[in-house]
Amino acid sequence: MERRFVAGIKPPKERAGSAWWWVFRESNLLVHETDTGTTLPHTEEIEALGIDPVRTQYLGTLGEHHCFAAEVGKETEPPTGMQFEGLRALYRRLPDDLFFLAGRAIQIMAWDRNHQYCGHCGTHTVYHKVDRATECPNCGLVNYPRIAPAVIVAVERGDELLLARNSNFPAAFYSILAGFVEAGESLEETVRREIREEVSIEVKDIEYFGSQSWPFPNSLMIGFTAKYASGEICVDQNEVADASWFRYDNLPRIPPRLSISRQLIDAFVEKHGGTTGD
């Protein structure tokens, strides 16, 4: 049965039953294996796990259960039968709702950790009374959880798709182009600039596809499709090591289904009657 998540900021004064806990040691999440698979700690209070959190934040409710994020110190050992693992390794092992809420939880923990003091005057901050934010009691500066918007674009040329290999990618691994939005830009301007800067071509017919929170570390990926307009591929040799046009039925190694980049690629392939498999 699908469990609906409802975001919240302040936990209720009284609560009954077990809560879900997303407990992080740096960027690794506390999980344990059961007879039915990988899951999260499910207990009313985190202290029942025998660990002492550095900080906690209320996330809201998932179904009938409250949800909390917590962070423990670097030297904290996992409780017996549990382990800390990176989020990428937990994709398809954790239930989808628990996995995607982990992305929310780790970003909220990072915000809480990084805004203990005012960036303007150095005063110790307090939590905002209404919003999920920290507020400086001295100068009034308010800091919300940081989100870095980035565009990601599937550029089509007939039955071919533009794919590129980032300089940091393993050999033969390709994806679609992406880049962060700069101050003062519209999303469409970012699409055109990033494609031009990285592969020297022009695009047209830019259309919104969808979006995805990407907690590595705190991005909002905003997906677009676009059509080739003009120019020859010439990679920048800085971020992009190689780029080429690939037919929908002859793709190189591409990203896993976890990412919106794969969703865009799959949508292109399916439009032409193909399939990408797993």
Side-chain angles (χ1 to χ4, degrees):
M1 187 174 86
E2 183 179 355
R3 297 177 291 197
R4 179 176 175 235
F5 175 70
V6 179
I9 298 175
K10 294 184 178 180
K13 293 181 180 179
E14 296 183 5
R15 63 178 192 270
S18 295
W20 290 109
W21 286 88
W22 284 258
V23 182
F24 290 94
R25 186 181 67 186
E26 297 184 301
S27 61
N28 294 321
L29 179 64
L30 182 66
V31 297
H32 65 104
E33 302 293 335
T34 70
D35 293 339
T36 57
T38 307
T39 191
L40 299 177
H42 199 220
T43 180
E44 186 172 351
E45 300 293 344
I46 193 173
E47 288 76 14
L49 300 174
I51 56 179
D52 184 22
V54 175
R55 58 183 53 85
T56 63
Q57 284 282 332
Y58 181 64
L59 302 177
T61 57
L62 181 61
E64 298 179 351
H65 298 279
H66 294 286
C67 300
F68 293 84
E71 183 177 77
V72 295
K74 296 179 181 179
E75 306 303 319
T76 300
E77 293 296 325
T80 301
M82 300 186 186
Q83 61 273 347
F84 288 100
E85 295 195 42
L87 291 189
R88 291 178 187 269
L90 292 170
Y91 176 60
R92 285 193 168 181
R93 290 171 55 201
L94 275 178
D96 286 349
D97 50 7
L98 300 184
F99 178 82
F100 287 108
L101 278 174
R104 178 188 293 257
I106 195 172
Q107 292 180 78
I108 290 174
M109 285 294 94
W111 156 77
D112 194 353
R113 179 175 62 252
N114 294 334
H115 290 91
Q116 296 291 303
Y117 294 89
C118 177
H120 178 69
C121 70
T123 302
H124 199 289
T125 58
V126 297
Y127 292 127
H128 195 278
K129 293 180 180 179
V130 177
D131 298 330
R132 192 185 300 281
T134 57
E135 185 174 15
C136 177
N138 180 51
C139 70
L141 181 68
V142 176
N143 281 292
Y144 294 89
R146 177 188 171 193
I147 299 173
V151 300
I152 184 163
V153 193
V155 181
E156 307 173 8
R157 188 178 71 174
D159 62 0
E160 295 178 315
L161 184 66
L162 178 64
L163 296 176
R165 184 170 67 82
N166 188 282
S167 301
N168 298 318
F169 284 176
F173 181 86
Y174 285 73
S175 186
I176 56 179
L177 294 173
F180 288 102
V181 180
E182 294 185 355
E185 279 188 326
S186 69
L187 298 176
E188 292 80 5
E189 287 171 335
T190 305
V191 168
R192 295 186 184 94
R193 175 183 55 78
E194 282 291 336
I195 301 299
R196 185 184 305 119
E197 288 179 352
E198 296 189 354
V199 293
S200 301
I201 69 170
E202 301 295 330
V203 296
K204 62 182 181 180
D205 299 338
I206 299 169
E207 294 186 1
Y208 174 74
F209 176 85
S211 63
Q212 180 185 48
S213 175
W214 191 247
F216 303 106
N218 52 18
S219 299
L220 174 63
M221 304 301 296
I222 306 159
F224 291 90
T225 62
K227 290 185 170 56
Y228 167 79
S230 63
E232 296 294 329
I233 293 176
C234 180
V235 299
D236 67 357
Q237 296 297 330
N238 181 20
E239 293 184 35
V240 178
D242 183 43
S244 187
W245 297 102
F246 292 87
R247 267 180 56 97
Y248 72 93
D249 55 357
N250 187 31
L251 298 180
R253 183 183 169 199
I254 55 177
R257 296 191 185 278
L258 161 68
S259 63
I260 192 172
S261 58
R262 177 58 178 269
Q263 295 172 30
L264 280 155
I265 294 170
D266 284 351
F268 171 77
V269 171
E270 290 169 7
K271 182 172 71 173
H272 291 278
T275 179
T276 55
D278 291 329

